[in-house]
Amino acid sequence: MILSHWKKLGYTTKPVKRMTLSDLKRQATLQGQQTEALETGRTRLMITGALMALAFTGIGFRMIDVMALSNVSEPKTRNISQSQNLTFDRAPIVDRTGMLVATTVKTVSLAADPRKIMDPQDSAEKLGQILTDIPVAKLYKMLSRKAKFVWVDRRITPTQQQKINALGIPGLEFRTQESRVYPQGNLMAHVLGYTNVDNKGISGLEKSFEETLTSQGEALRLSIDGRVQHIVRDEVQKAMTEFQAIGGSAIVLDANNGQVVSMVSLPDFDPNQPGKASVESHFNRTTLGVYELGSTFKIFNSAMALESGTANMSSSYDASKPIRIARFTINDYHGKNRVLSLPEVFIYSSNIGSAKMAEAFGAGYQKDFLQKIGMLSPSPVELPEVGRPQYPKTWRPINMVTISYGHGIAVSPMHVAAGVASMVNGGTHYQPSLIMQDTKPKGTRVISARSSKAIRKLMRANNIAGSGKKSNAIGYFVGGKTGTADKVKATGGYADRARISSYVAAFPMHKPKYVVYVMLDEPKGNKKTFGYATGGWVAAPIIKQIVTRAAPILGVTPIDPTSEEVNRELALKLPQDSHT
Amino acid sequence: MNIARNDTSILGRWWWEVDRWTLFCFIVLAGFGLVLTASASPSVAERIGADSMFFIRKQAVMVVPAVMLMLTISLLDLKNIKRLAGILLLFSIVMMFATLAFGSEIKGATRWIRVAGINLQPSEFLKPAFAVVAATMFSAQRMGEKVPGFWMASGLYLFMVALLMAQPDFGQTVIVSAIWGVQFFLAGLPLVIVLSLLIMMVVGIASAYFFFPHVQSRIDRFLDPASGDTYQVDRAMEAFSNGGVLGMGPGNGTAKNVLPDGHADFILAVAGEEYGLIACLVILFMYGFVVLRGFSLIFSRNNMFVILAVTGLLLQFGLQAMINMSSTLTLIPTKGMTLPFVSYGGSSLIAMAIGMGMVLALTRNRPGNYQSSNGSFIK
């Protein structure tokens, strides 16, 4: 069967056969069919040929289109990104006074097409004499790479450009691109952040406002005042040097709208050359770092006691004996070993008294209150670098007790400054912001005006009779609270000599305009401080300097320190006074 | 050459019967391929660490026997062409199985096998062999022989597809499918079936796009050049626009330095950069000329087998050129397909020479070609 098929396909010669009449008839029909088949085949061959011709013509047109009509020397994808760069300039950033702090300028880069470089070794040597910070070996490697395009140096000076041009090496080319320049250098490093070589924001406001900056031509205006920023940075830097601190942080915050007037984290870096600074200096202590901030938390604890109605200014607490709770013993740092009134608990920074106040309003109230003033979520400030507060998952009695005096909870300095502002400004919480706002933001009331006034009195009293004396800038009625906390060691437990010393203040205390926060990381006491490195000794003096220097710029007029009106407003009767 | 019209020797008859225009195009194309290989391949050879003349020598060594082979085959008569195709088909099927069993896997596909020190791509030989054998089967049934030729051809086709998809080799499958489809069309497939096959094809491609994510990503990547790796294609487009109308001049191109397949699948880009639009149009014209001239030569022939076989062979030749040029010009997604006679590559060159030798033999202007058929139409 298969063999017979095979024969009919013509692979073998057919045997010649004698034909009969019926054979001839059959053959005639067959011939008719065959002619018809050939006709169909021819018609369809013509269709096939026409389609092929059409396709070849199409390819020909494409050739003409690609080779004669388009004149792009770059692939399409790169053209698109280049044209995007040309249409928008990255918008500049100015401070609240209009001073330029970040801008975009045209700079020149050196690129090479290694395929066109005839003598890479010779070219590398010649270039090395002009681009002195790139080793010749590295230049040689770049110029001899098997690629169409390499960046040799991303930012060269006009002088270098002229010299390289004069070398006349074929295959080298200059590319003009936009570069981000920060005229104030380190001044606002942690506020602004920086961009990468492709001009894309990768940290700070440059990152969080990437879209705004690249889509609008208008400058981004900060709430930061460059002059105040300079003073604050200068003072914190001096104190860091004096007390050999490893770091420092400071904030000046408008108490009545949450605008950040100054924000410093030290050590800092030059955003023009972010790569040259240490990793440590890139760390933003002010918003990303979270710390146990110690006694400054007693401001919130006192406010909770007053606001919850479980205490008033004449309430008293027995601080004669340490408290035992769970397996811990709570002691006082400056123990008075007697019954203390609420203002005394604040001024003497009694942990025992604070714990007893907290026991009266309870853990639930404490947690809700902290939540309300934003202490349990990352700071809403516009930076990408914001730290998540650390606090116990389950709020046990021991946690409530330690949190009452600022231990067992870690928040960023920005949290504290914004929180304190809401305690002293009459009781309204504003979200801290680094961007200038034309309209006053809507805050949320967190405590009553009455409680707020009491807090102002307590803070002022602490500056008169307590740990804050060194922060008194004459004429500005500063009031505040120290905080000193041992740092948690990497191995667990508290480090003995490594501490965070801070002071949070507001001025003028009878009608607070600004909140000032200062913190030193691991300060060491010296002779002048009799070896002390607590907040009252190392951080409070910085507040005094900042307020004295910055208040005139901020438009806060000094008041006669003996002004009866103001002193009456802040008068606080300490029960102890009646005895002495 | 001076050969008398009445010379009846084999060569003498051949000279007057063979289509010299087509032959001329093949030789010019092969020559152009050699020139372009000389231009494009040294930098490729250096990149892979071989001596710079490596590809040129190999190609030159292959071109001469390839042309000889083509000429020899063009001397054969129809029956011997059929026999040659049958043998070649058996040979390539055996080699395809051997490739699947012993071949080396390159980039996820097993297409090459090493025989006696030579790398072979059996699927290249499969295409011309299939075109002729299938034509035999189709024409036999169509011309009234009592054989189920259509079924035989279709069965053979499915078998070929199975072998090719096992490698897998999608590009060759497309070519073989086109040969089968067009031969069937010419052999009188009812128009209803033709139309429904076309509709099925469109629906099939559309549903492949929507149901298979990898097909979708491939097509999307082609449609949107910004996504994915389009390195070779981008470089090719750059080369074309560098070349312009007149080209940068022989040896002055830069694309060959960065195109990994500058001497093979992307040789048209090198041609475009160095010799310009005019040269590219000339190459394109020659492919078109060979195909359409071939069609016109067989148009008035009375032999169904010749019509179908030549159509199949020229379709393979033309389609391969079209697919290659279209992907280099980014008209279609990149497919590994050589430019006939021009691209570097031994297997493809030899296989193409065999196929086109068959075309030359089949289109020879023999006596009796145009007479009405009388039953013994196969001599």
Side-chain angles (χ1 to χ4, degrees):
Chain A
M1 161 79 177
I2 291 176
L3 191 71
S4 74
H5 283 165
W6 202 246
K7 281 180 182 163
K8 284 171 191 162
L9 289 176
Y11 281 93
T12 51
T13 318
K14 279 185 189 170
V16 182
K17 204 168 94 180
R18 270 181 64 178
M19 291 200 190
T20 61
L21 187 67
S22 64
D23 279 343
L24 281 170
K25 270 186 187 163
R26 205 173 51 238
Q27 208 175 44
T29 347
L30 197 62
Q31 271 183 27
Q33 283 171 2
Q34 285 173 351
T35 316
E36 201 191 309
L38 281 169
E39 278 311 313
T40 311
R42 280 176 192 142
T43 317
R44 294 187 176 187
L45 177 63
M46 206 140 83
I47 297 171
T48 312
L51 288 176
M52 294 283 278
L54 210 65
F56 275 114
T57 315
I59 295 173
F61 276 118
R62 173 67 175 173
M63 279 180 179
I64 295 169
D65 173 40
V66 166
M67 299 175 71
L69 301 182
S70 78
N71 216 3
V72 284
S73 55
E74 299 286 332
K76 285 198 171 91
T77 42
R78 200 180 295 166
N79 279 348
I80 292 160
S81 63
Q82 270 177 353
S83 62
Q84 273 173 348
N85 276 349
L86 289 175
T87 30
F88 333 100
D89 276 7
R90 194 179 179 86
I93 303 177
V94 295
D95 82 341
R96 73 186 298 139
T97 66
M99 178 175 74
L100 196 61
V101 293
T103 186
T104 303
V105 295
K106 294 252 185 288
T107 56
V108 175
S109 289
L110 180 64
D113 180 349
R115 296 176 304 180
K116 290 184 186 155
I117 299 216
M118 287 180 283
D119 186 347
Q121 184 59 45
D122 181 57
S123 308
E125 277 165 17
K126 283 179 181 162
L127 270 182
Q129 286 170 5
I130 298 165
L131 305 170
T132 43
D133 45 352
I134 308 176
V136 174
K138 201 177 158 196
L139 285 170
Y140 172 74
K141 220 171 151 189
M142 284 191 268
L143 298 183
S144 53
R145 257 178 59 189
K146 295 265 177 240
K148 184 195 181 270
F149 186 88
V150 288
W151 288 113
V152 180
D153 195 346
R154 285 306 288 261
R155 223 188 258 185
I156 60 171
T157 65
T159 324
Q160 285 173 327
Q161 185 189 8
Q162 196 199 356
K163 283 182 182 168
I164 292 167
N165 209 14
L167 289 179
I169 300 173
L172 291 181
E173 51 189 291
F174 300 110
R175 297 251 170 151
T176 310
Q177 81 275 312
E178 292 173 355
S179 288
R180 204 62 166 160
V181 171
Y182 304 92
Q184 304 299 326
N186 291 33
L187 188 64
M188 297 182 192
H190 288 288
V191 176
L192 298 172
Y194 50 91
T195 59
N196 62 10
V197 282
D198 296 320
N199 237 8
K200 190 175 181 315
I202 52 172
S203 84
L205 292 177
E206 291 274 31
K207 184 179 179 185
S208 32
F209 282 85
E210 173 71 23
E211 256 194 68
T212 321
L213 288 169
T214 50
S215 62
Q216 63 166 32
E218 221 174 301
L220 180 69
R221 193 165 170 210
L222 305 182
S223 61
I224 304 279
D225 185 318
R227 302 163 300 176
V228 178
Q229 177 82 352
H230 175 76
I231 292 166
V232 173
R233 186 170 177 273
D234 180 48
E235 291 298 339
V236 176
Q237 186 74 68
K238 276 198 281 196
M240 266 176 68
T241 314
E242 187 179 349
F243 301 110
Q244 297 164 43
I246 61 163
S249 159
I251 300 164
V252 177
L253 185 76
D254 189 321
N256 297 303
N257 59 18
Q259 297 248 299
V260 178
V261 176
S262 170
M263 191 197 98
V264 166
S265 171
L266 288 170
D268 56 16
F269 59 94
D270 183 354
N272 291 304
Q273 295 172 310
K276 294 203 171 156
S278 66
V279 178
E280 168 67 12
S281 67
H282 282 250
F283 183 73
N284 186 344
R285 286 184 157 75
T286 312
T287 57
L288 183 57
V290 293
Y291 308 93
E292 287 193 330
L293 291 165
S295 308
T296 46
F297 250 71
K298 284 170 188 160
I299 298 172
F300 307 122
N301 197 52
S302 306
M304 286 178 223
L306 295 167
E307 185 69 13
S308 65
T310 56
N312 58 40
M313 291 297 262
S314 46
S315 300
S316 56
Y317 303 91
D318 182 6
S320 56
K321 288 188 294 284
I323 303 180
R324 283 194 172 68
I325 182 161
R327 50 196 174 85
F328 301 95
T329 306
I330 312 298
N331 239 319
D332 278 357
Y333 193 61
H334 316 277
K336 295 284 176 200
N337 300 320
R338 61 176 171 81
V339 174
L340 298 172
S341 70
L342 185 142
E344 284 176 319
V345 169
F346 188 85
I347 294 164
Y348 303 135
S349 207
S350 165
N351 294 345
I352 301 169
S354 301
K356 290 199 165 166
M357 276 154 84
E359 276 168 347
F361 52 76
Y365 187 84
Q366 185 186 47
K367 191 175 179 184
D368 288 348
F369 190 94
L370 292 176
Q371 182 97 53
K372 217 161 46 174
I373 58 172
M375 292 287 168
L376 304 184
S377 43
S379 174
V381 76
E382 297 92 344
L383 291 173
E385 298 88 8
V386 285
R388 179 167 289 280
Q390 290 171 12
Y391 53 88
K393 275 204 187 73
T394 45
W395 214 276
R396 297 176 203 286
I398 178 66
N399 302 123
M400 176 197 74
V401 164
T402 60
I403 287 169
S404 75
Y405 54 87
H407 288 77
I409 183 167
V411 296
S412 72
M414 192 56 85
H415 280 106
V416 177
V420 169
S422 66
M423 295 297 105
V424 300
N425 68 7
T428 309
H429 184 75
Y430 297 101
Q431 299 202 331
S433 166
L434 292 163
I435 306 301
M436 191 71 176
Q437 271 135 15
D438 299 326
T439 51
K440 189 177 161 126
K442 208 175 155 288
T444 45
R445 173 158 296 278
V446 287
I447 56 169
S448 65
R450 208 177 112 95
S451 305
S452 178
K453 184 171 182 179
I455 296 296
R456 291 203 291 271
K457 286 182 176 177
L458 290 174
M459 286 172 71
R460 178 62 188 155
N462 183 48
N463 263 43
I464 297 167
S467 58
K469 289 173 198 148
K470 289 187 187 305
S471 71
N472 279 324
I474 306 303
Y476 293 106
F477 289 88
V478 179
K481 183 78 189 83
T482 50
T484 308
D486 292 329
K487 279 173 95 170
V488 178
K489 283 188 295 190
T491 51
Y494 287 102
D496 200 17
R497 308 295 305 165
R499 53 165 71 95
I500 298 286
S501 299
S502 62
Y503 198 85
V504 60
F507 75 95
M509 211 62 231
H510 62 287
K511 216 177 173 184
K513 287 207 163 79
Y514 293 97
V515 168
V516 186
Y517 174 93
V518 163
M519 178 269 267
L520 288 183
D521 193 347
E522 294 188 22
K524 280 100 193 155
N526 59 19
K527 250 191 208 149
K528 231 168 88 188
T529 65
F530 310 102
Y532 288 112
T534 56
W537 282 97
V538 299
I542 310 174
I543 300 273
K544 178 183 176 181
Q545 286 302 111
I546 290 174
V547 173
T548 311
R549 288 176 68 186
I553 294 170
L554 292 168
V556 182
T557 42
I559 305 161
D560 178 7
T562 59
S563 157
E564 254 186 56
E565 193 195 337
V566 175
N567 280 313
R568 193 174 334 108
E569 172 89 14
L570 292 167
L572 182 65
K573 195 168 159 61
L574 293 177
Q576 207 192 348
D577 293 348
S578 55
H579 299 290
T580 49
Chain B
M1 217 177 328
N2 193 3
I3 295 171
R5 285 256 177 193
N6 56 4
D7 186 342
T8 52
S9 69
I10 292 180
L11 269 177
R13 285 222 327 259
W14 173 83
W15 177 250
W16 292 113
E17 287 179 7
V18 82
D19 186 56
R20 281 166 302 202
W21 282 105
T22 308
L23 180 60
F24 170 75
C25 281
F26 292 148
I27 300 208
V28 170
L29 281 173
F32 206 74
L34 213 51
V35 171
L36 284 175
T37 305
S39 187
S41 75
S43 58
V44 180
E46 278 170 29
R47 269 207 301 272
I48 65 165
D51 110 77
S52 61
M53 297 294 284
F54 177 74
F55 288 119
I56 305 171
R57 257 201 316 270
K58 271 186 87 172
Q59 184 75 351
V61 163
M62 292 311 276
V63 161
V64 177
V67 171
M68 297 308 292
L69 188 62
M70 181 169 75
L71 295 177
T72 311
I73 290 172
S74 72
L75 293 170
L76 299 177
D77 62 13
L78 295 195
K79 189 172 297 151
N80 282 323
I81 291 291
K82 285 187 182 181
R83 285 180 177 148
L84 172 66
I87 293 164
L88 192 64
L89 188 69
L90 283 178
F91 164 77
S92 19
I93 290 172
V94 170
M95 293 309 287
M96 293 278 284
F97 276 113
T99 305
L100 288 175
F102 314 110
S104 44
E105 183 171 325
I106 300 165
K107 291 183 205 157
T110 319
R111 296 175 188 172
W112 294 85
I113 187 165
R114 204 170 169 79
V115 179
I118 304 165
N119 271 324
L120 272 183
Q121 193 180 355
S123 56
E124 291 286 352
F125 297 92
L126 194 82
K127 293 178 285 184
F130 173 76
V132 174
V133 172
T136 315
M137 293 168 169
F138 279 123
S139 66
Q141 180 173 354
R142 190 67 174 143
M143 289 295 109
E145 297 288 340
K146 297 248 172 335
V147 273
F150 291 9
W151 286 113
M152 286 166 80
S154 304
L156 182 63
Y157 161 69
L158 289 176
F159 179 53
M160 301 288 100
V161 169
L163 276 179
L164 287 170
M165 290 317 275
Q167 293 192 343
D169 194 335
F170 187 67
Q172 311 282 38
T173 309
V174 168
I175 301 271
V176 170
S177 303
I179 295 172
W180 170 78
V182 170
Q183 284 186 339
F184 212 154
F185 174 61
L186 261 59
L189 187 67
L191 280 176
V192 184
I193 303 182
V194 174
L195 282 178
S196 34
L197 275 179
L198 280 177
I199 292 168
M200 265 167 64
M201 207 169 74
V202 172
V203 171
I205 290 171
S207 50
Y209 179 81
F210 287 111
F211 291 114
F212 296 102
H214 68 277
V215 176
Q216 192 167 13
S217 99
R218 205 185 175 107
I219 293 172
D220 286 348
R221 210 163 57 213
F222 168 70
L223 293 176
D224 176 17
S227 65
D229 181 17
T230 52
Y231 179 80
Q232 291 225 66
V233 175
D234 286 348
R235 297 293 86 76
M237 292 313 282
E238 219 174 291
F240 282 122
S241 67
N242 283 346
V245 176
L246 295 171
M248 299 175 82
N252 285 346
T254 52
K256 59 197 181 193
N257 298 338
V258 288
L259 271 175
D261 286 338
H263 63 306
D265 293 359
F266 277 85
I267 199 154
L268 187 72
V270 174
E273 190 177 30
E274 300 196 349
Y275 300 91
L277 172 65
I278 307 226
C280 283
L281 286 175
V282 168
I283 294 175
L284 176 72
F285 177 79
M286 283 199 281
Y287 286 113
F289 177 80
V290 166
V291 172
L292 296 178
R293 170 139 184 111
F295 283 6
S296 79
L297 284 174
I298 55 169
F299 185 74
S300 38
R301 296 289 166 88
N302 57 12
N303 188 328
M304 196 65 185
F305 162 71
V306 170
I307 294 178
L308 292 182
V310 171
T311 306
L313 289 167
L314 288 177
L315 192 72
Q316 181 217 334
F317 174 82
L319 224 77
Q320 224 169 296
M322 279 183 199
I323 292 178
N324 174 282
M325 290 191 281
S326 301
S327 42
T328 313
L329 290 160
T330 57
L331 280 171
I332 57 166
T334 320
K335 268 266 118 283
M337 192 75 65
T338 53
L339 195 54
F341 287 112
V342 176
S343 287
Y344 169 83
S347 291
S348 103
L349 185 63
I350 297 290
M352 205 40 92
I354 294 174
M356 293 308 108
M358 290 176 172
V359 168
L360 290 173
L362 294 170
T363 55
R364 274 169 69 172
N365 194 3
R366 292 189 174 87
N369 270 341
Y370 308 105
Q371 288 168 10
S372 72
S373 53
N374 60 359
S376 58
F377 51 90
I378 299 166
K379 263 194 96 173

